[in-house]
Amino acid sequence: MTFLKSPYILSVLVASFLCSCKVAQPLLPEAVKVPEAFGGMPDTTKSLGYTPRTIFFKDEHLTRLIGEAVENNPDVQIALQRIEMTRASVLVRKGALLPSASLFVAGGQQKFGAHTMDGVGNFDTNFSNNITDDKRMPEHLPEFYAGLQSSWEIDLWKKLRSRKRAAFLRLLSSEKGKHWVTTTLVSEVAVLYYELLALDNELNIIHENIRLQQKAVEVILVQKQAGRANELAVKQFTAQLLNTQGLEYRIRQEIVEGENALNTLLGRMGKPVERGQPILEQTLPMEISVGIPAHMLRRRPDVQAAELNLLASHADLKSAHAAFFPSLTITSSVGLQSFSSSYFFNLPGSLAYSVLGGLTTPLFERNTIRADYKAATAFQAEEFHHYRSAVLNGYREVVTSMNRIENLKAASDLKEQEVEVLQNAVATSRDLFNTGYANYLEVVSAQRGVLEAELALADTRKAQFHSLIALYKALGGGWE
């Protein structure tokens, strides 16, 4: 009857532990709903994010720079080391499922008090007729032991397996983190490259305007000598020339800063950055396919990393809940033991072993376990909102970049027409000024207008490439 009561009591205790902590509702990626299409426009074609970067970027100089950056960039190397750290964590969690074994060697000496149970027992034993001389125990008792000790926690409630799964998911997340670093790096290199192309184009525009303005100053000086212009006109043309020459040095400094920034991304110092065709001759894709939002979720590394972290936090929650239940641990040891070194290897007499299995049920530590469980629940909710935020940001970036590309294309077409009209206006104003039908202010104004329009056209073309790169990044392209 007593034997039957013990399992009954144990069952009652386990049931009380099961009821003592309410299981939290799991938060899974499926809870985040996304639209069927981007911006309400259905598009079931393959996403641009799946296009390899060597095909997406047509400029060979740019693809070469990107390859060098992916190989040598410090942030990529840091991400690789993070993968190694998480891989080591997986090995630790995997090892926890296996028995631990260690070699134990000990030697010592002890003396029991004369008025203790051990002291009296040993003293009395030495007078027994059953004890041979080699088994008589000295007053100062040596102790020699060498053997294997093992401990194994049986994973009854999948606590250890949940921890292993969480570590493995974080390993996958760290790999996706490295992919996102690569995607971001590809985007940054491309942005800086087209920034340099735009600055080169602006510098050419400045040089051409300086040449034309220098010629205009020469003409106005001749007209002043002939009495057809005054000193104020000379100063206006000269001031405009000086202003344009000042712009040249500002752009040169921006080129130096851009090259240094690009070299830093490439993990190098002081090397010139080779460029391809001018930015106005670089081709933009005629059609852009963004696919459906589900493509972005499967392709974009930061979204995938957030999803894996969410699943890992769910595994942590399972492990924290399993900590409420009793744990079964088996300990064992086997080795050689003797109080006399001369008989240490006397087998089987010196052979000693032990096996012990026991259930351990938390009692006073339950507040700590409950606190850990609440923390795991809150952490799962945090990771869920991280994932939700990643999805929202990804969707926003795709839609924003799509619309920006369309709007910039229309703006670029209009800006090209504006530049053509203003260039004709400059030529017309000079002819009218030379024939006396326009004043010098109209010529200065026309020249300033065409310079600003040409620079704005170059800036618009640069913005088009930047928007296309932003869309490629938003769709998860570039990390292959």
Side-chain angles (χ1 to χ4, degrees), residues 211-230:
R211 185 184 67 80
L212 295 175
Q213 290 172 12
Q214 285 174 338
K215 185 176 181 180
V217 170
E218 293 172 359
V219 171
I220 199 67
L221 286 173
V222 172
Q223 289 183 345
K224 178 190 174 185
Q225 293 175 355
R228 295 177 56 190
N230 54 30

Side-chain angles (χ1 to χ4, degrees), residues 12-69:
V12 172
L13 287 174
V14 172
S16 65
F17 289 135
L18 291 174
C19 298
S20 62
C21 182
K22 184 180 180 181
V23 180
Q25 185 70 22
L27 299 172
L28 299 176
E30 293 77 12
V32 179
K33 304 298 181 182
V34 295
E36 294 295 329
F38 288 109
M41 297 178 293
D43 186 355
T44 58
T45 57
K46 189 175 181 180
S47 170
L48 184 69
Y50 289 93
T51 305
R53 57 177 180 258
T54 53
I55 297 177
F56 177 76
F57 296 108
K58 307 297 184 182
D59 194 316
E60 294 181 358
H61 294 82
L62 174 56
T63 56
R64 192 180 307 116
L65 292 172
I66 289 175
E68 186 175 349

Side-chain angles (χ1 to χ4, degrees), residues 47 76 131 137 190 200 238 242 297 321 334 338 366 460 463:
S47 170
V76 175
I131 301 298
M137 290 176 284
D200 291 341
T238 303
L242 293 173
L297 299 183
H321 185 257
V334 60
S338 175
R366 292 188 58 75
T460 302

Side-chain angles (χ1 to χ4, degrees), residues 179-251:
H179 294 163
W180 183 241
V181 169
T182 303
T183 295
T184 303
L185 178 64
V186 169
S187 173
E188 291 176 348
V189 170
V191 165
L192 283 174
Y193 181 78
Y194 285 109
E195 184 80 30
L196 289 174
L197 290 183
L199 291 171
D200 291 341
N201 185 70
E202 290 181 12
L203 194 60
N204 292 332
I205 294 172
I206 294 295
H207 287 162
E208 179 63 20
N209 277 268
I210 288 176
R211 185 184 67 80
L212 295 175
Q213 290 172 12
Q214 285 174 338
K215 185 176 181 180
V217 170
E218 293 172 359
V219 171
I220 199 67
L221 286 173
V222 172
Q223 289 183 345
K224 178 190 174 185
Q225 293 175 355
R228 295 177 56 190
N230 54 30
E231 181 64 20
L232 182 58
V234 174
K235 291 187 180 300
Q236 288 284 355
F237 278 93
T238 303
Q240 186 182 46
L241 173 61
L242 293 173
N243 179 71
T244 306
Q245 289 173 332
L247 289 177
E248 176 185 358
Y249 290 99
R250 178 181 63 80
I251 293 174

Side-chain angles (χ1 to χ4, degrees), residues 95-388:
L97 289 166
L98 303 175
S100 63
S102 58
L103 177 63
F104 182 71
V105 178
Q109 190 176 54
Q110 59 181 332
K111 176 185 178 300
F112 296 106
H115 297 88
T116 62
M117 181 174 63
D118 291 320
V120 173
N122 291 342
F123 178 80
D124 187 61
T125 300
N126 286 335
F127 292 98
S128 172
N129 295 327
N130 296 325
I131 301 298
T132 59
D133 291 340
D134 60 318
K135 294 181 180 179
R136 296 187 183 278
M137 290 176 284
E139 181 181 4
H140 299 279
L141 184 65
E143 177 74 17
F144 302 100
Y145 180 87
L148 294 175
Q149 293 183 338
S150 177
S151 177
W152 186 18
E153 181 179 351
I154 308 300
D155 194 21
L156 293 176
W157 317 108
K158 297 184 179 181
K159 177 179 66 176
L160 301 179
R161 275 172 284 183
S162 295
R163 292 175 182 175
K164 175 189 171 184
R165 174 171 170 77
F168 179 71
L169 290 170
R170 288 193 172 93
L171 170 61
L172 298 180
S173 176
S174 67
E175 292 176 346
K176 294 302 177 183
K178 186 258 182 183
H179 294 163
W180 183 241
V181 169
T182 303
T183 295
T184 303
L185 178 64
V186 169
S187 173
E188 291 176 348
V189 170
V191 165
L192 283 174
Y193 181 78
Y194 285 109
E195 184 80 30
L196 289 174
L197 290 183
L199 291 171
D200 291 341
N201 185 70
E202 290 181 12
L203 194 60
N204 292 332
I205 294 172
I206 294 295
H207 287 162
E208 179 63 20
N209 277 268
I210 288 176
R211 185 184 67 80
L212 295 175
Q213 290 172 12
Q214 285 174 338
K215 185 176 181 180
V217 170
E218 293 172 359
V219 171
I220 199 67
L221 286 173
V222 172
Q223 289 183 345
K224 178 190 174 185
Q225 293 175 355
R228 295 177 56 190
N230 54 30
E231 181 64 20
L232 182 58
V234 174
K235 291 187 180 300
Q236 288 284 355
F237 278 93
T238 303
Q240 186 182 46
L241 173 61
L242 293 173
N243 179 71
T244 306
Q245 289 173 332
L247 289 177
E248 176 185 358
Y249 290 99
R250 178 181 63 80
I251 293 174
R252 287 185 181 278
Q253 178 59 30
E254 291 181 2
I255 291 175
V256 171
E257 294 174 358
E259 288 182 336
N260 287 333
L262 190 52
N263 277 323
T264 300
L265 291 179
L266 270 59
R268 67 187 193 184
M269 293 180 285
K271 290 187 178 182
V273 177
E274 297 182 1
R275 268 96 90 180
Q277 293 180 324
I279 192 168
L280 296 180
E281 298 178 17
Q282 295 274 342
T283 58
L284 289 163
M286 299 300 295
E287 295 183 1
I288 298 174
S289 174
V290 297
I292 58 177
H295 290 162
M296 179 199 69
L297 299 183
R298 290 194 297 267
R299 175 69 185 177
R300 186 162 160 150
D302 64 327
V303 175
Q304 291 181 320
E307 179 180 354
L308 290 167
N309 285 331
L310 174 57
L311 296 176
S313 69
H314 182 56
D316 285 336
L317 185 63
K318 288 183 177 180
S319 176
H321 185 257
F324 284 97
F325 308 148
S327 60
L328 173 60
T329 304
I330 298 176
T331 59
S332 62
S333 65
V334 60
L336 302 178
Q337 186 177 23
S338 175
F339 61 78
S340 175
S341 58
S342 59
Y343 296 100
F344 187 72
F345 296 100
N346 185 15
L347 294 175
S350 60
L351 180 65
Y353 68 89
S354 67
V355 178
L356 178 65
L359 282 173
T360 303
T361 301
L363 292 177
F364 299 106
E365 301 87 355
R366 292 188 58 75
N367 286 335
T368 301
I369 296 174
R370 187 176 290 108
D372 291 340
Y373 182 76
K374 289 183 177 180
T377 304
F379 184 69
Q380 180 194 225
E382 179 185 355
E383 292 296 337
F384 174 78
H385 292 299
H386 279 310
Y387 172 73
R388 181 168 170 265

